[in-house]
Amino acid sequence: MAGIAETRARAAQLRARFEQAGAAPVETPVLQPAAALLDLYGEDIRARAYVTSDALRGEQMLRPDFTVPVVQMHMHDGAAPARYTYAGAVFRRQEDDPDRPNEYWQVGYEVFDGQAPHDADAEVFCLIREALAGLDLRATTGDIGVLMAAVAGLDTTAARKAALMRHIWRPRRFRALLDRYAGRTPVPAARRSLLAADDPFADAPPLLGLRSQSEIEARIAALRTDAATPPISTDEVALIDAILEVRETAPYALEHLRDIAVDLPAIDPAVERLQRRMEALDARGVDVGALEFEASHGRASMEYYDGFVFGFYAAARPDLPAVASGGRYDALTRLLGRGAEIPAVGGVIRPGLMLELEAAT
């Protein structure tokens, strides 16, 4: 494993490369206010972040990544177009794999530019690919925007679509919800009994916990409304499944998604964006015909990605995480910009993994 001094030196080289490409160097505090991260990710973020607090500033988190603070900085006083680069340590709790580091370095490149988002996608991908030249890496791309468009186009209630959207980045939970909304899984007996009761609070013990009776009543009403909603059709579920199963080289994936769009026209705009991105990548010298595309790629990454996603993986070391990864996060700028929004895309490289792979050759 590379030492800290070596990692810092490689990080400095990478950041200098990104500066030469036009990015302004920025720094962010290691301690980040927890409120913004909790609003974005919910309580799930606690499972993979280090949380602390003080009497004046409340809950704080050791920086789990750079994108959120960079977006906050840009949306507060930045002007578009803009490009930023940074380098520093991030911190992630590891509860399942003791061999994976809980502190490692990232070097990033972020683009805020609404003129031609597909060109910005290609710019970030190619700049990072060039920085990784010489390593035996496999590139995989995807587009979460296709799945999001498919969910938005379902013939079901807004509440159900919102729940599915919220769990796109949690594949198991997403599948469980989709099966439930399609009527594939039986309603638990306890829930059936609760929803059928004239007075769900009859003979109930005293209320405990943080929820008030009015909040519980509202939740029961929502469950009753959902129970009365017709199931999502088998055909629509099959179309969602077909999207998630797309795993081919980019041209064949595009052709497959166009076939799906015939029956699910809601994904047409996302498919057209994919085509324009492929053209932009081709114009920059990428062999698009050999580029891998997985429609489900990126669903286990940070929850702010909502479009193009990519990762570079060591061909001979499948045990390692991505050496570099990134994607588009337009919606995040709206959430952190208090109504303002600008298309944005970025990516990060892990210099420690680069050094580890180089040492093994």
Side-chain angles (χ1 to χ4, degrees):
M1 183 177 294
I4 294 177
E6 293 175 290
T7 301
R8 284 177 180 269
R10 178 57 59 86
Q13 293 171 3
L14 291 168
R15 189 170 74 169
R17 172 189 284 267
F18 293 155
E19 288 182 52
Q20 290 173 359
V26 293
E27 302 284 348
T28 70
V30 173
L31 272 178
Q32 294 288 318
L37 293 166
L38 288 169
D39 287 344
L40 285 171
Y41 309 128
E43 290 296 321
D44 287 356
I45 190 67
R46 293 184 186 276
R48 58 184 190 274
Y50 290 98
V51 183
T52 185
S53 64
D54 64 43
L56 294 178
R57 295 174 178 82
E59 280 195 313
Q60 307 278 302
M61 286 186 182
L62 287 178
R63 182 174 59 205
D65 82 335
F66 280 87
T67 301
V68 171
V70 169
V71 171
Q72 288 175 314
M73 175 206 70
H74 178 81
M75 299 309 291
H76 185 264
D77 55 16
R83 283 157 177 77
Y84 303 107
T85 185
Y86 48 80
V90 296
F91 306 85
R92 305 275 181 87
R93 289 173 58 183
Q94 304 293 344
E95 298 185 343
D96 299 322
D97 187 350
D99 294 327
R100 297 187 71 170
N102 56 358
E103 175 184 351
Y104 55 88
W105 275 62
Q106 286 184 343
V107 183
Y109 182 78
E110 312 286 341
V111 176
F112 295 78
D113 192 343
Q115 293 301 311
H118 51 283
D119 285 336
D121 290 346
E123 174 188 340
V124 171
F125 179 88
C126 291
L127 190 60
I128 288 179
R129 186 184 70 152
E130 291 163 7
L132 300 171
L135 296 175
D136 183 16
L137 301 178
R138 170 181 60 84
T140 299
T141 65
D143 194 328
I144 293 176
V146 176
L147 179 58
M148 295 179 78
V151 170
L154 292 173
D155 183 17
T156 190
T157 63
R160 284 184 169 182
K161 288 190 279 191
L164 288 167
M165 286 285 196
R166 190 164 56 250
H167 293 289
I168 276 177
W169 299 272
R170 302 171 182 88
R172 290 184 181 179
R173 179 60 176 157
F174 180 88
R175 170 54 57 188
L177 279 176
L178 188 62
D179 286 345
R180 192 180 102 197
Y181 295 156
R184 292 179 172 182
T185 55
V187 178
R191 177 172 293 184
R192 283 202 312 271
S193 176
L194 174 69
L195 299 183
D198 292 331
D199 181 7
F201 293 93
D203 302 321
L207 290 177
L208 299 173
L210 299 177
R211 290 188 178 182
S212 66
Q213 180 166 327
S214 62
E215 290 174 322
I216 296 172
E217 288 172 344
R219 176 59 178 161
I220 292 173
L223 289 172
R224 283 175 168 164
T225 299
D226 185 73
T229 301
I232 296 175
S233 73
T234 301
D235 289 344
E236 286 192 318
V237 173
L239 290 169
I240 295 288
D241 288 340
I243 290 172
L244 292 174
E245 290 168 2
V246 172
R247 184 175 182 176
E248 305 170 61
T249 55
Y252 288 107
L254 178 63
E255 182 179 343
H256 194 167
L257 289 170
R258 280 177 172 158
D259 290 341
I260 295 171
V262 172
D263 297 309
L264 188 58
I267 69 171
D268 270 330
V271 174
E272 290 306 310
R273 286 193 294 271
L274 171 59
Q275 178 181 347
R276 290 197 296 272
R277 184 183 310 120
M278 288 170 55
E279 292 169 352
L281 288 167
D282 180 70
R284 288 177 176 265
V286 175
D287 182 3
V288 176
L291 187 63
E292 294 181 14
F293 181 94
E294 297 178 17
S296 61
H297 181 70
R299 293 180 66 205
S301 303
M302 285 294 192
E303 288 91 335
Y304 45 67
Y305 291 134
D306 57 6
F308 176 52
V309 285
F310 65 87
F312 289 87
Y313 302 88
R317 291 289 305 277
D319 57 305
L320 292 179
V323 179
S325 61
R328 177 159 291 280
Y329 49 87
D330 296 350
L332 180 62
T333 68
R334 181 173 64 252
L335 290 171
L336 298 179
R338 292 169 292 185
E341 180 179 0
I342 178 173
V345 60
V348 296
I349 297 175
R350 292 178 59 166
L353 290 180
M354 289 183 68
L355 292 168
E356 183 177 344
L357 292 172
E358 290 169 358
T361 58

